[in-house]
Amino acid sequence: EVQLVESGGGLVQPGRSLKLSCAASGFTFSNYYMAWVRQAPKKGLEWVATISTSGSRTYYPDSVKGRFTISRDNAKSSLYLQMNSLKSEDTATYYCARHRAGITPYYFDYWGQGVMVTVSS
Amino acid sequence: EIVLTQSPTTIAASPGEKVTITCRASSSVSYMYWYQQKSGASPKLWIYDTSKLASGVPNRFSGSGSGTSYSLTINTMETEDAATYYCQQWSSTPPTFTFGSGTKLEIK
């Protein structure tokens, strides 16, 4: 059974940093592109970052580019999101998600339960 | 950047009723993907490659469309189908993933 378990969320002040982790199990982690998707309270879904199988390629929307860094440790089947210079608008539930199998990521076929990040003074 | 516009924003349907949710893209896309999210839960992949049902999705659901217009249809609404549905598309250069704003489906 595919499982994605996020951790590391919490309350953080504007301008500070936070690092999220996602522990994956139930599949060969190194074979899949992985991603982070967030959802602000009572709002829709927003893609935040994607990383290739080896970690050599990363992709971000303009809203987080230069502030967030996605990374992975295939030996530990773990995904990370380093978030710097946090803003109030980064307040959201952050989901770890697996991209579909194959070299083209297209969509997200499994999601974690999410972890809440609140940016407030 | 391709923008996805979903309609309606909210819809209420009675059990047994047919329901259609529309997703329009600002430019032509090759495929559309749909997710179901129930209150307090994570999103679930529901439909992929425009019309293929994800594992475990009841066959009262269907997806269709092409170009800039796509839809998710429930042939006969059931109470368990109450949820928010999101469409999503993928652009390749550079890879970006865009979601629609969601359609909240309620039971009447």
Side-chain angles (χ1 to χ4, degrees):
Chain A
E1 179 194 3
V2 172
Q3 286 201 327
L4 301 169
V5 180
E6 303 93 337
S7 61
L11 175 63
V12 60
Q13 293 179 329
R16 304 297 291 265
S17 299
L18 198 65
K19 186 173 184 176
L20 305 181
S21 300
C22 170
S25 60
F27 64 102
T28 304
F29 181 73
S30 59
N31 287 351
Y32 289 83
Y33 278 59
M34 296 295 296
W36 291 95
V37 179
R38 69 184 179 183
Q39 186 170 36
K42 305 265 188 229
K43 299 294 185 182
L45 302 169
E46 180 187 18
W47 166 69
V48 170
T50 285
I51 189 167
S52 63
T53 53
S54 66
S56 62
R57 294 184 299 278
T58 57
Y59 309 99
Y60 308 92
D62 289 342
S63 58
V64 307
K65 196 175 294 181
R67 298 189 300 122
F68 288 12
T69 302
I70 187 172
S71 62
R72 65 191 297 161
D73 185 335
N74 286 342
K76 294 183 177 179
S77 295
S78 292
L79 180 72
Y80 306 100
L81 184 68
Q82 176 68 46
M83 303 184 292
N84 298 332
S85 304
L86 282 162
K87 306 175 183 179
S88 58
E89 52 262 43
D90 295 319
T91 294
T93 296
Y94 285 74
Y95 295 101
C96 170
R98 190 183 83 169
H99 278 289
R100 69 130 212 181
I103 61 172
T104 309
Y106 290 137
Y107 58 87
F108 314 93
D109 62 359
Y110 284 95
W111 300 61
Q113 85 287 352
V115 63
M116 184 68 199
V117 172
T118 302
V119 184
S120 174
S121 54
Chain B
E1 177 190 341
I2 295 179
V3 176
L4 300 180
T5 302
Q6 286 187 237
S7 60
T9 302
T10 306
I11 183 170
S14 301
E17 192 175 340
K18 184 175 183 177
V19 176
T20 298
I21 297 169
T22 299
C23 180
R24 288 200 161 79
S26 58
S27 298
S28 182
V29 299
S30 299
Y31 295 101
M32 194 60 70
Y33 311 99
W34 295 88
Y35 301 86
Q36 181 198 66
Q37 186 179 32
K38 293 196 173 182
S39 180
S42 309
K44 292 182 179 179
L45 177 66
W46 214 243
I47 294 174
Y48 65 100
D49 293 353
T50 300
S51 59
K52 298 175 183 175
L53 302 185
S55 177
V57 174
N59 61 12
R60 61 181 177 274
F61 283 86
S62 64
S64 64
S66 64
T68 60
S69 184
Y70 293 82
S71 62
L72 177 155
T73 299
I74 307 172
N75 204 34
T76 51
M77 174 77 179
E78 296 199 9
T79 54
E80 67 181 27
D81 300 335
T84 300
Y85 294 86
Y86 295 93
C87 58
Q88 176 246 312
Q89 68 86 30
W90 171 82
S91 300
S92 60
T93 312
T96 56
F97 305 86
T98 306
F99 292 92
S101 56
T103 294
K104 186 174 184 179
L105 174 58
E106 300 172 330
I107 293 291
K108 192 184 292 183

